[in-house]
Amino acid sequence: MGCCNSFLRSESEKWSHQSQQQQQRRRPSLSLQAAEDSGGGSRGREVPAFDQFSLAELREATNGFIPENVVSESVDKAPNVVYKGRLQNRRWIAVKKFTKTAWPDPKQFAVSFSSRPLTHPSSRFEEAWGVGKLRHRRLANLIGYCCEGDERLLVAEYMPNDTLAKHLFHWENQTIEWAMRLRVAFYMAEALEYCSNEERPLYHDLNAYRVLFDEDGDPRLSCFGFMKNSRDGKSYSTNLAYTPPEYLRNGRVTPESVIFSFGTVLLDLLSGKRIPPTHALDMIRDKNTLVLMDSHLEGNFSTEEATTLVDLASQCLQYEPRDRPGTKKLVATLELLQRKSEVPSHIMMGLEKQHEEAPPLQQPLSPMGEACSRMDLTAIHQILVMTHYRDDEVTNELSFQEWTQQMRDMLEARKRGDFAFRDKEFKTAIECYSQFIDVGTMISPTVYARRSLCHLLCDQPDAALRDAMQAQCLYPDWPTAFYMQAVALAKLNMQGDSLDMLNEAAKLEEKRQKNTRGS
C-alpha cells in the first residue's frame, strides 16, 4: 500500500522541472538563506535572492512609474529617479530608474549585476557584479534589476522612514537624540566593515542621503551607493567641499576615500548641519568642539562621548589617506559608545512602528483552510491523519528488484513515523520521517507536510516552512503545501505573506474542485 502512494525518484526529476516552471510563474517572496552569521537578515524578514525582474512587473509595482511614487530624484550630473513600489507578493521595493544614456549598452548593464564572475570584466564593472550577493541587516539590500529595451532599473528593499539627511537637517517634530546618533554611526560602521570583509569596500558618495531608516527605525546604508551612477558617471555628485582630496586629484575612489566620507557623516551627526570638513577641522584644531555641536542637543549629550566622536571624525578626515583609520577601528571605537541598547530605534526616533495591513481573503476556505487561518494545529493534525496519503499521486509500482532491504527499512521508517504522528509523538515522527526522506529512493509530499506540522508543534517554524516549501516543489499545485506555508509564515510573524499563501491555497482548491466536477 505504501509503495502505491509514493513517488519514484524517476518521477522526482519530472516534478523538479515542473516546479521550476511553476516558480517562474509564482516568484517566491522568501529566501531561507539569510546570512545570520554575517548579520544578514533577521527572523521573519528574509531578503529574497537577487533576481531579474520584468519591466511589466516593475511598471505594475509602481503604478506605471507615476510621479506620486517618486521618493528621490538625482541632480543632472547623475540622472536617475527612485520610485516606491509594491510587488504582487506584497513586498515593498525601491526602484532606481536610469536614463538610457547612463547605460547605453544593455549587455554591460545586465552583466554588471550577474551572479557569476565576468569572463573579461572591465574595471568599471568589477565593482558592480557582486553587489547583488551582499546581504546584511545594516544594508538596504539590492534584490534585482531589469534591462529591457531602453530601460535600466535596479530594485532594492524599500525603507519607509526617510533619510538621515531628512531627520538631521529638515526635521519637523523632534531632532535625533544623542544616543540614536551614536547608534547611526555604529550601524554605518558595521555596514562598511561587512562590505570590506566581502571585498566590496568601495562606496560612492557616502553622505547623509545614503543612510535610510527601515520600518523598525533602524538605519541602513543604501546599496545604490556601491555602483557609480552610470557607465561614465562620476563617483561624487555632492559639493566639492565634501569630496575626498585624493579624488579631486586623480578621480579614483579608494577604501580610504570611503573613510573620509564617513567622517563627513560623523560631522553631520555632531553638528546637525552640513559643515565643510576643512572648516570643521579648523574648529577642532582650535578646540572649539562645543561650538561644533548641534545646539538642539545642549545639555543632552556626554562631553566625553562627543570628544571621542570628534576625534574619530578628525582621524577620518585626514588629508593623507594612509593616516585614516580602517573599518575595524571605526566599529571598535563606536561600539564602546553605544547606550540605550535595549530601547528600539523607532522609539528613540519618535516613529510609529509600521504594521503590515492584512489583505482580505479572496476565496472561501475549506476545513483545512479554516484550521490554518485560525492557527489550530490540533485541527490540522486531525485533517492530515484522516487524509492519510490520498493526495500523493500514484505513479509506477516498484519492480521486484527494487524491493531491497534498504527499501523495506525505509518503508518501515515511514510506518513508524505514521504511528508516532497519529499518537502525537511528534519528535519521534520527525526522526522517522527524516529517515524515510534521507534515503531518497521514494518521495512523498505528504511526508513533508506531516513533518512540517511536527516542526510547528515542536516550535520550529523555520524548519516547518522549509518542509512546506519542499512539499510545494514536489507537488506545485497542492493546496496543503500552501496551507502549511501559511501557518509557518504566521508563526514567523509574516502575516502578509501568510495570508497570500492562504489565498493561493484557496484558489488551488477551487480550481481542483472545478476540474473534478468537469471530469
Side-chain angles (χ1 to χ4, degrees), residues 99-109 149-150 152 231-232:
T99 62
K100 180 184 177 182
T101 56
W103 296 88
D105 186 346
K107 292 182 180 179
Q108 286 182 319
F109 180 81
D150 294 342
R152 313 284 184 266
R231 182 173 61 91
D232 299 313

Side-chain angles (χ1 to χ4, degrees), residues 100 142 155 187 191 218 221 223 267 343 352 384 397 417 421 425 456 486:
K100 180 184 177 182
L142 193 70
V155 183
Y187 282 13
D218 287 328
L221 188 60
C223 62
L267 290 181
V343 181
E352 289 189 12
L384 289 180
E397 294 284 352
F421 185 77
E425 298 172 358
L456 286 170

Side-chain angles (χ1 to χ4, degrees), residues 113 157 172 179 188 260 341 416 437 453 483 487 501 517:
F113 311 105
E157 294 180 286
E172 298 175 0
M188 293 305 96
F260 183 94
S341 57
R416 292 197 308 273
I437 290 170
L453 179 62
Y483 279 135
V487 179
M501 286 295 172
R517 289 194 296 267

Side-chain angles (χ1 to χ4, degrees), residues 3 5 27 53 176 253 267 311 371 399 433 443 500:
C3 62
N5 291 317
R27 185 188 305 275
F53 290 85
I176 303 178
V253 177
L267 290 181
D311 182 60
S399 67
Y433 286 144
I443 55 178
D500 284 340

Side-chain angles (χ1 to χ4, degrees), residues 27-323:
R27 185 188 305 275
S29 62
L30 304 175
S31 168
L32 294 177
Q33 301 173 354
E36 293 293 343
D37 293 339
S38 64
S42 62
R43 175 165 153 163
R45 195 190 303 151
E46 289 85 357
V47 183
F50 188 76
D51 202 356
Q52 183 174 4
F53 290 85
S54 71
L55 181 59
E57 282 181 284
L58 300 183
R59 184 177 286 121
E60 180 181 359
T62 59
N63 291 326
F65 300 105
I66 58 175
E68 289 79 3
N69 281 339
V70 172
V71 292
S72 72
E73 196 163 359
S74 74
V75 296
D76 293 336
K77 291 181 180 178
N80 60 76
V81 183
V82 179
Y83 295 84
K84 177 176 73 171
R86 200 173 198 184
L87 299 172
Q88 286 187 341
N89 62 19
R90 299 183 57 77
R91 179 180 290 276
W92 286 102
I93 56 173
V95 182
K96 189 169 187 176
K97 195 171 189 285
F98 296 90
T99 62
K100 180 184 177 182
T101 56
W103 296 88
D105 186 346
K107 292 182 180 179
Q108 286 182 319
F109 180 81
V111 81
S112 296
F113 311 105
S114 170
S115 60
R116 299 180 297 275
L118 305 180
T119 306
H120 302 291
S122 68
S123 59
R124 286 180 182 135
F125 301 116
E126 281 180 325
E127 68 179 304
W129 68 263
V131 175
K133 289 183 176 180
L134 296 176
R135 288 291 179 270
H136 198 273
R137 67 182 183 275
R138 305 300 182 223
L139 298 176
N141 296 282
L142 193 70
I143 61 176
Y145 76 101
C146 172
C147 184
E148 288 185 22
D150 294 342
E151 300 294 343
R152 313 284 184 266
L153 306 105
L154 295 177
V155 183
E157 294 180 286
Y158 176 65
M159 303 289 109
N161 281 312
D162 293 314
T163 66
L164 177 61
K166 170 73 179 297
H167 290 289
L168 271 180
F169 311 142
H170 310 291
W171 55 275
E172 298 175 0
N173 299 319
Q174 68 177 64
T175 187
I176 303 178
E177 67 172 271
W178 177 245
M180 188 64 203
R181 297 189 193 206
L182 295 175
R183 182 176 295 182
V184 170
F186 178 50
Y187 282 13
M188 293 305 96
E190 284 191 316
L192 294 178
E193 184 182 30
Y194 164 76
C195 296
S196 180
N197 292 338
E198 294 295 312
E199 299 183 354
R200 301 288 162 198
L202 302 185
Y203 194 92
H204 302 273
D205 204 8
L206 176 60
N207 58 63
Y209 291 93
R210 299 283 199 183
V211 181
L212 313 170
F213 291 87
D214 65 18
E215 62 272 22
D216 294 325
D218 287 328
R220 301 223 222 160
L221 188 60
S222 169
C223 62
F224 292 146
F226 289 108
M227 293 84 67
K228 292 180 181 179
N229 285 299
S230 70
R231 182 173 61 91
D232 299 313
K234 302 296 183 181
S235 292
Y236 286 86
S237 58
T238 53
N239 191 300
L240 294 180
Y242 305 92
T243 302
E246 64 273 14
Y247 181 79
L248 296 176
R249 294 196 299 268
N250 55 37
R252 293 180 57 197
V253 177
T254 66
E256 293 77 18
S257 306
V258 181
I259 301 299
F260 183 94
S261 296
F262 182 78
T264 67
V265 177
L266 291 183
L267 290 181
D268 295 341
L269 291 167
L270 285 162
S271 65
K273 52 183 175 290
R274 294 291 271 159
I275 297 180
T278 53
H279 180 49
L281 288 173
D282 288 339
M283 297 170 67
I284 294 170
R285 278 191 288 268
D286 294 338
K287 299 188 177 184
N288 287 332
T289 301
L290 292 179
V291 178
L292 181 65
M293 295 299 297
D294 189 342
S295 60
H296 295 98
L297 293 173
E298 185 175 358
N300 294 310
F301 67 91
S302 161
T303 303
E304 182 181 352
E305 292 171 352
T307 301
T308 301
L309 204 62
V310 167
D311 182 60
L312 187 62
S314 176
Q315 295 176 48
C316 292
L317 296 171
Q318 291 300 301
Y319 184 83
E320 292 295 336
R322 64 175 177 269
D323 295 333

